Amino acid sequence: MSQQVLAPAADQAQAIATVWQTMFWPNVVIYMAMLAALAWALWRRRAVVADAAVQARQERNWVRALVAWIVFIALVLTAYTAVSFVQDRHRLAHAPDALRVRITANQWWWQVDYLDPDPSRQVGTANELHLPLGRMTRIDLLSGDVIHSLWIPALNGKEDLIPGRSTQLALTPRAIGHYRGECAEFCGLQHAHMLLPVTVESPAAFAAWLDARRAPAATPASPSAVRGQQVFESGTCAMCHAIAGTSADSHAGPDLTHIASRPMLAAGALPNDRAHLAAWLVDPQAFKPGTKMPNPRLQPQEVSDLVDYLEGLR
Amino acid sequence: MSARDANVEAQLARTWADKPGLVGWLSTTDHKRVGRRYLVTAIVFFALAGLMALVMRTQLALPDNHLLGPDRYNQFFSMHGSVMMFLFAVPVMTAMGAYLVPLMLGARASSFPRLNAFGYWIYLFGGLTIFVAFALDAGPETGWTAYVPLSSSDFSAGHRTDIWSQMVNFTEVSALCVAAQVVTSFMVTRAPGMRLDRIPLFVWAQVVTAFMMMFAMPSVMLASQALQSDRQFGTHFFNPGEGGDPLLWQHLFWFFGHPEVYIIFIPALGMISSIVQTFARRRIFGHTAMVVAMLAIGFLSFGLWVHHMFATGLPPLGNSFYTIASMLIAIPSGVQIFCWIATLWLGRPRFATPLLFVLGFFALFVIGGLSGVMLASVPLDTQVHDSYFVVAHFHYVLIGGAVFPLIGGFYYWFPKFTGRLLSEGMGKLNFWLLFAGVNLTFFPMHWLGLAGMQRRIYTWPAGLGWEWANMAATVGSYIVGIGVLLFVANVVWSLRRGQVAGDNPWDAPELEWATSSPPPPWNFTEAPVVRSLTPLWSDTPIEWLRGLKSDKREMLLTSIAEARPTARWGCPDPSIWPFLSALTLTLQFIWTIFDPWGWVWASIPMAVAMTIWFWPKKSEPSME
Amino acid sequence: MSSRSRRAERSARGITALVAAALLALLVAACEREHREYESKAPPPTPANEAVRVGDLQPGKPQPPRMDPHGRSFEGNAWHVNQGARLYKWFNCTGCHAAGGGSIGPALMDADWRYGGSIEQIHASIAQGRPNGMPSFRGKIPDDQIWEIAAYVRTLSGNAPKYVEGGGRQGMAVAPPTSRLPKLEPKTTESSQ
């Protein structure tokens, strides 16, 4: 997954990279010049005796140089400020036909809702974000508990998610690929494991993905998967998680309707495969100590059935 | 020395002696003894916080490491930041000021000797409180910035954050005590003839810092009291559900927090000026510009705090104002760097360890300053804020801009404090180890931030290319640790075996070098009359003003602008009451962590102690 | 340095050593109240160790109430009480008990407990369910989490060790902070309302 600030894949990150390039190279030159001036001051050849008139003239020259230096710094800083201001306007620009998404951050997972004027077409998912190429997506950022921050370095700068306030982030991706998003404001025990994998795809692929997300959960195919659904709905799982199309409808924890097609588990704590899912269900605290998911204390057969069921939820 | 002078000195020795034994040790008001204690305590805290950093770096050396779990790691980084910022960086600078300012002003004592001592004890007890809490698994867990709602009682259970918040109160009270003392010394206890344009830059730096402390500390005390109130009483300062705002905490904290870093930095600027002046063998070029620059930095630093909040969704136009202000503060800093380089050019530099550390300052601080100018840009900041880029930036400015000048200052003033010089050979090795270690630790962090590594994570995953930079940073941190150990070894060795220093081993121009090394308890037998910025370099020898009594503690007060003698003032005798008052205030602070009734009940012993402390003594005549 | 001040320095060093030793001792002891234990290693409950008396009336010589040390450890721990507060909202206890004042369910902030107000009895009420509307949560909420909720419920009537009392809560202020609530010793009532 790409996440270099200096490898921008969206308009907003490109604006920021321009600011970086504008400031970085002149700064390097200024630094080298300062070191050179220092070296010259220390090691220049000096006359053995400096008479008073010469000293006075040298001092006057240095005073003139000081004034010039102040003017120079002021000009450089003005240029930096101007570039920064202009690129910030680009970064914050709106588009009228932007895709609207709402992300609510919780300790330690992301709730992602694709908004639509028609409520029946809204899509809710968790810990994954898909974006259409070339079109602006405007994300409303909310928090369910403490201050978090959404940072997708390849696409834009970060924006905090603050309880009691709503902030915004705009993304206009220009390259198809997978990008890493993460929480960037210290939010407690598992701040390190709060990833948001972002996938940028063609508009057609994106529309297909969104349609697939709208559908309720796949019905379990095998007998073990049927048992697994039974475990889910009648045990501890349904107390916190929802799977559309079943009786499990709690929104305390992430929605699991299409869990099997997500790139990672537990907001980036684990890769999403059978073995890791089973291990997670046996002891979530071993992988993400402090996570709000308690140990469900399942029997081995229950774990196996549950994994069969969840792995079918594409 | 004539027999009469010897008599006078013997009498002064009796008058200014501390009481014997443990009571004497606890009741001293000699600013030099108090200053030395401050320094030793601050260095111990520095070493402990540095050890924590080494443990954290060991945890972060490898991906998915298991040395520290998330809870312990959070306590470690919170302690590291809080101890470094509250218990080391500010106190060590005020310590240097407490020791040196009266000497540089040619005064016999500080202006409020007992307040000075009280400030030290409060500082010590506050530091002990937080370390005891850390040992008891109750250390702070929300960073040194303690953002709400994470630090509210919903998300920070128990008393960890309450203890942290009270530690902040301890250290702010202590800092305010020293600040009041420095300002008053500057105003009324200067040597006769030390006009405003003849005051050393070190003293100007300490005064600017003291004024900044008086404006900045109340903001964080207000914030921490509001947080404790929310946590204990259920008020709603920061609770959005009832009309409060989490951003209020950030505004109040950073209104303190940004000046705080300049409070740490400006005294270091004063140290650099003293060292450059002495080792360039020329008075500082552009003295007036330097003073104006420090005043400008002090003033401007109060207008920058929102640059810590660029990602919080504040209006963009407002953010741009803070970009401009944050860029603007580079100008006075640039002026200072220019003037020092000019001084070295115009002078005849000679190399010694103090100057080496100052050169290290130039190399390190300017990197931090330039990355700071980049951070001032809102869009760029939104990328690298809360990433390792910022960690690199602030360590470069703090270590380069404050710690290196401080260590240079230690090498420079150690002979004055102890009468012996630190070893030059060990000093040069010390410098190179620290310089290499700091660069190896923090330079790769710039790259890590640009590669997406966020701050305050207890572990990081493999496969992102972060491995080499983290390993380099860990190796570098161990080199820094060895460098610090070497400094301590140098101090310990030199205390016994170092070359004996005379009054003025460096041939420096300022007044503290006009008395013995270490100075006697009364600093100067007679008041020096100052006729230039560099009194010890002037062609005519210093004149000494006689007339201060030697059979009771007395010092000379002078007018604010022209420094003409105005009065003789009786200094207070040593007293145990600052120590006991500090104990009662400590009792109150600790009691109120657990039970708000402590504000009422613990006020009683405090009132008793302070009443006895301030009880006027009939035997001391008022100023004549 | 005079010999007197040397003695003073020595006694100061002695005190410092004493303080350091005390700190080390404390380090070993640590503070249980602040400990964050994410998952207990206790065995899951079997019906045999779930026997809790919900009323005081008993024939013959009265037996002292059974105390569960595992459950009691939750009461004295700030972390567990804090988690219990979170779970109280998550699992919709507020739906019937409001923020402790009660609505269609009885109040949890007073001294009246139909089925007992000790932490073991509260745990049993949550796990087993009770007549007239209290659902049974055994198998739905893991056992440790039921202990956490029970520990929190105890604080609502002021029956928590002072140290772990909660402070101000985020969100709408529907109840005073638990540290401001009066302590009301539970007494079992016969009320059938």
Side-chain angles (χ1 to χ4, degrees), chain B residues 23-94:
Chain B
V23 173
W25 194 83
L26 291 172
S27 62
T28 183
T29 54
D30 180 350
H31 71 96
K32 298 181 293 300
R33 290 189 80 185
V34 173
R36 260 203 330 258
R37 270 174 218 176
Y38 250 116
L39 282 174
V40 170
T41 310
I43 292 174
V44 168
F45 286 147
F46 173 72
L48 290 172
L51 275 174
M52 287 179 214
L54 287 182
V55 176
M56 289 186 335
R57 275 307 333 157
T58 312
Q59 160 71 9
L60 293 174
L62 298 168
D64 293 316
N65 208 357
H66 295 291
L67 178 65
L68 289 174
D71 186 39
R72 217 53 185 145
Y73 184 86
N74 292 347
Q75 288 191 57
F76 264 77
F77 83 72
S78 304
M79 279 294 284
H80 172 77
S82 302
V83 172
M84 283 295 191
M85 295 300 277
F86 290 113
L87 294 175
F88 163 69
V90 172
V92 83
M93 297 301 180
T94 54

Side-chain angles (χ1 to χ4, degrees), chain C residues 38-104:
Chain C
Y38 309 127
E39 187 182 2
S40 73
K41 306 295 172 218
T46 62
N49 56 10
E50 283 235 316
V52 169
R53 197 174 293 120
V54 299
D56 292 331
L57 210 54
Q58 43 187 301
K61 185 165 187 245
Q63 298 289 325
R66 188 188 136 272
M67 299 227 222
D68 183 337
H70 176 64
R72 293 261 153 173
S73 71
F74 283 71
E75 255 194 320
N77 184 283
W79 165 257
H80 284 307
V81 168
N82 179 270
Q83 295 299 298
R86 167 178 67 86
L87 296 170
Y88 186 90
K89 272 200 314 229
W90 267 26
F91 297 140
N92 199 29
C93 310
T94 52
C96 298
H97 294 284
S103 64
I104 60 173

Side-chain angles (χ1 to χ4, degrees), chain B residues 547-564:
Chain B
L548 285 177
K549 294 209 174 85
S550 44
D551 59 343
K552 65 185 203 48
R553 293 183 174 224
E554 211 173 54
M555 61 189 286
L556 190 63
L557 302 184
T558 56
S559 63
I560 292 187
E562 293 289 324
R564 276 195 225 101

Side-chain angles (χ1 to χ4, degrees), chain A residues 3 5 23 31 40 44 46 59 62 66 69 77 84 151 153 158-160 165 182-185 189-191, chain B residues 70 245 247 282 311-313 327 334 344-345 347 349 363 373 377 382-383 385-386 450-452 454-455 458 466:
Chain A
Q3 59 160 54
V5 169
M23 295 177 81
Y31 180 66
W40 178 49
R44 75 179 183 100
R46 290 167 163 81
E59 284 219 20
W62 275 101
L66 176 59
W69 173 241
L77 294 179
S84 165
W151 186 29
K158 63 184 60 69
E159 193 72 25
D160 285 357
R165 287 175 170 254
E182 57 203 5
C183 176
E185 179 63 60
L189 290 165
Q190 285 299 329
H191 168 60
Chain B
D245 192 348
L247 285 189
R282 188 200 186 280
T312 57
M327 298 254 191
L344 289 166
W345 193 96
V373 164
S377 154
T382 59
Q383 277 283 25
H385 164 67
D386 261 340
L450 292 171
Q454 38 339 6
R455 284 175 75 174
Y458 75 102
W466 295 348

Side-chain angles (χ1 to χ4, degrees), chain B residues 30 37 45 47 74 104 130 170 203 236 255 278 282 309 320 323 334 373 464 493 520 524 532 561 579 592 618:
Chain B
D30 180 350
R37 270 174 218 176
F45 286 147
N74 292 347
M104 284 193 179
I130 199 79
F170 274 107
V203 175
H236 302 295
F255 185 78
T278 300
R282 188 200 186 280
M309 299 167 63
S320 301
T323 294
V373 164
L464 293 169
W493 184 87
F524 299 95
S532 81
F579 171 73
T592 51
K618 293 196 190 70

